[in-house]
Amino acid sequence: MEVVERTDRRLEIKITRCMFHEFAVHLGIPEMTPVVCQIDNAMFNSYLPEEMVFDRGGVGRRIADGRHECNFIWELRCAACPPDPTPVSNQSVPCSTPPPEAAASTPAATVARWD
């Protein structure tokens, strides 16, 4: 695993091995790997959907698609967050994440941050 980018708004990692893909190939059913990838999409995009988006960085960017790596990108998508020069999406929706100066007075469990 390699951390590609880590900012206040965005976390991108890259993996070069997928145990799900390796297992599916071992069983002779590699076509099942994209199903697991869709579970990632559903799971990550259902957690705080108003505040965070999960993306792969484009179509065909998975080991399941024949690439040598998978990208995982999580991005906060709220108006209170600092600007990100390379957003995953152009959406900007209001959210409950306080601006950085208010984060110090907010309990950590209610702040959607990477740290």
Side-chain angles (χ1 to χ4, degrees):
M1 183 185 85
E2 173 190 344
V3 175
V4 176
E5 181 179 357
R6 182 178 176 170
T7 67
D8 287 344
R9 268 193 70 199
R10 181 180 163 114
L11 174 64
E12 180 176 355
I13 62 171
K14 177 174 34 175
I15 63 162
T16 55
R17 290 191 66 189
C18 174
M19 68 178 187
F20 299 110
H21 181 68
E22 291 173 9
F23 184 61
V25 169
H26 177 75
L27 293 175
I29 50 172
E31 62 275 7
M32 290 303 295
T33 308
V35 174
V36 175
C37 299
Q38 290 303 324
I39 293 169
D40 282 349
N41 292 340
M43 180 181 64
F44 290 131
N45 282 315
S46 64
Y47 178 73
L48 300 174
E50 300 297 318
E51 298 178 23
M52 181 173 49
V53 64
F54 170 75
D55 194 285
R56 297 276 184 182
V59 177
R61 298 202 45 184
R62 306 174 300 189
I63 292 171
D65 300 316
R67 290 183 50 109
H68 296 288
E69 60 194 34
C70 276
N71 294 72
F72 290 75
I73 304 167
W74 294 269
E75 182 179 21
L76 295 178
R77 57 178 186 174
C78 60
C81 299
D84 188 340
T86 55
V88 173
S89 71
N90 292 328
Q91 295 177 331
S92 179
V93 297
C95 73
S96 60
T97 303
E101 60 274 5
S105 63
T106 305
T110 62
V111 179
R113 291 260 188 250
W114 310 126
D115 46 23

